[in-house]
Amino acid sequence: MGHDTDARVRHKTAVQKQVDSQDRRYLAERIMEREERKGEAEALALNLASDYAKRGGVPKVARVDAPHSKCISAGGFHSAAVDDDGKLWTWGRNEEGQLGLGDAARATTLDFHEPQCVALNDVEGRRMRLVTCGVRVTAAVDENGALWTWGHGRSFLGHDDLHQPELGGCHDIARPRLVRWPSAMDANIRVAAVSLGWSHAAVVDDGGNVYTWGHGGNGRLGHGDEHTRVAPAWVRGVPAGEIAAVAAGGAFTVARSRSGLALAWGAGHCSGQGVLGSHADALAPQIIPRTKEMDVTAVAAGGLHAVLLTRDGGAYTWG
């Protein structure tokens, strides 16, 4: 019995070391990327300052050439918007195909400084309703509630049919691709909202249910373990049909219930569980106790911190 316990402890320790190593490697890549582009940012700042001085006013701002943008999002180094006609526009860095402009555009142009209309060849006749940008990936939801993702393949795009274990994900996808729900799920799930974290994603359907996938370290997926999932999986630990919004952070996730509570899971220092007197990771959704006395109206998650708003105008942060 003692030998079995020791073996389980060693296995869990090994798994945690692997998860920690993956997170450290990801953070190291982001730091290197930031340093490489620091010079670019400084040069851009100087150019903007020069432009401001020459014009004697506000520097030129890129404008989407469409009637109105009803949804807009900014990611690590790219942005996206949906206009009133349901057209999708993207601009910024495109090295992993996160702009959705196809392999040809990715091969010839690294950066697009003005909005580009994404040709939705695979979704002819469909209109997009919302879009959100991650670090190097993009996700959009069409008017029928179908979910589309594209960009950096190792950021877990939800396409289990393309998953290659030796790559730690799949090849980069440079065009919007429909996320197919696992056969065990209802094929008619309609996505109401989607959020992209560093290496995981979360969605809420129009029935108030939550689904997550991606890197499972620290319990950020909320399935009671730290296993990676390459396709959307239903989070059973949240009240069925009760979730109104979800936000994926760096290694944690927060959600808002329709009754005004906030729930969180994942990395202990960011999941809001510190109020319990412990910074241990939460492998499954937990109600943040203090919110039982609040009426939470919105939640948001950054890389290492989170924010919630309350109906009486309060704003609360942690991380």
Side-chain angles (χ1 to χ4, degrees), residues 154 159-171 230:
R154 288 191 292 115
H159 305 297
D160 58 340
D161 58 321
L162 299 181
H163 183 68
Q164 298 180 44
E166 67 276 11
L167 293 178
C170 65
H171 289 291
V230 298

Side-chain angles (χ1 to χ4, degrees), residues 99-128:
L99 299 188
L101 303 175
D103 288 318
R106 176 187 172 193
T108 58
T109 307
L110 182 62
D111 295 303
F112 286 85
H113 299 290
E114 300 216 358
Q116 307 293 310
C117 188
V118 179
L120 302 174
N121 296 329
D122 296 330
V123 285
E124 190 66 35
R126 296 202 187 196
R127 292 155 48 100
M128 289 299 174

Side-chain angles (χ1 to χ4, degrees), residues 3 38 45 72 151 179 201 207 299:
H3 292 298
K38 187 176 180 180
I72 190 167
V179 174
V299 293

Side-chain angles (χ1 to χ4, degrees), residues 9-315:
V9 169
R10 287 195 299 271
H11 175 69
K12 184 175 181 179
T13 301
V15 169
Q16 185 60 53
K17 286 182 178 178
Q18 182 180 11
V19 168
D20 290 344
S21 176
Q22 291 174 336
D23 276 349
R24 285 195 298 271
R25 185 167 60 251
Y26 186 85
L27 286 171
E29 289 177 359
R30 300 291 73 71
I31 291 171
M32 289 177 64
E33 193 173 62
R34 182 185 64 189
E35 290 301 315
E36 288 173 358
R37 292 172 182 170
K38 187 176 180 180
E40 296 179 14
E42 292 174 348
L44 176 60
L46 289 173
N47 288 338
L48 288 175
S50 175
D51 182 68
Y52 185 90
K54 290 178 181 178
R55 293 172 181 266
V58 179
K60 180 182 178 181
V61 177
R63 178 179 65 87
V64 175
D65 188 17
H68 294 95
S69 295
K70 64 180 180 181
C71 177
I72 190 167
S73 177
F77 297 95
H78 73 294
S79 300
V82 174
D83 68 22
D84 283 343
D85 294 325
K87 293 179 180 177
L88 178 64
W89 303 77
T90 59
W91 62 98
R93 180 81 41 158
N94 192 42
E95 58 190 325
E96 279 86 23
Q98 59 263 54
L99 299 188
L101 303 175
D103 288 318
R106 176 187 172 193
T108 58
T109 307
L110 182 62
D111 295 303
F112 286 85
H113 299 290
E114 300 216 358
Q116 307 293 310
C117 188
V118 179
L120 302 174
N121 296 329
D122 296 330
V123 285
E124 190 66 35
R126 296 202 187 196
R127 292 155 48 100
M128 289 299 174
R129 182 169 56 84
L130 61 88
V131 64
T132 185
C133 299
V135 179
R136 295 186 289 179
V137 298
T138 311
V141 178
D142 67 29
E143 60 184 353
N144 296 320
L147 176 66
W148 306 78
T149 64
W150 61 96
H152 186 228
R154 288 191 292 115
S155 294
F156 299 102
L157 299 172
H159 305 297
D160 58 340
D161 58 321
L162 299 181
H163 183 68
Q164 298 180 44
E166 67 276 11
L167 293 178
C170 65
H171 289 291
D172 296 345
I173 299 175
R175 283 284 187 193
R177 190 174 193 267
L178 179 66
V179 174
R180 303 286 182 182
W181 296 95
S183 57
M185 293 185 183
D186 183 354
N188 296 317
I189 290 174
R190 292 172 56 89
V191 174
V194 56
S195 180
L196 302 174
W198 279 351
S199 56
H200 76 295
V203 303
V204 178
D205 68 14
D206 60 359
N209 301 298
V210 179
Y211 307 84
T212 61
W213 67 93
H215 184 12
N218 304 99
R220 70 194 74 178
L221 300 185
H223 299 298
D225 55 44
E226 297 184 86
H227 301 319
T228 289
R229 287 168 172 78
V230 298
W234 177 37
V235 179
R236 300 176 183 274
V238 298
E242 280 298 312
I243 300 303
V246 68
F252 69 102
T253 309
V254 294
R256 177 178 68 85
S257 74
R258 291 174 173 174
S259 60
L261 294 173
L263 300 88
W265 55 95
H269 61 287
C270 295
S271 66
Q273 300 310 310
V275 293
L276 299 177
S278 170
H279 289 288
D281 296 344
L283 303 184
Q286 306 286 333
I287 294 174
I288 299 178
R290 191 175 176 184
T291 65
K292 293 179 180 179
E293 304 169 0
M294 304 175 179
D295 185 1
V296 178
T297 57
V299 293
L304 297 171
H305 73 295
V307 181
L308 65 81
L309 302 180
T310 57
R311 191 168 301 280
D312 60 5

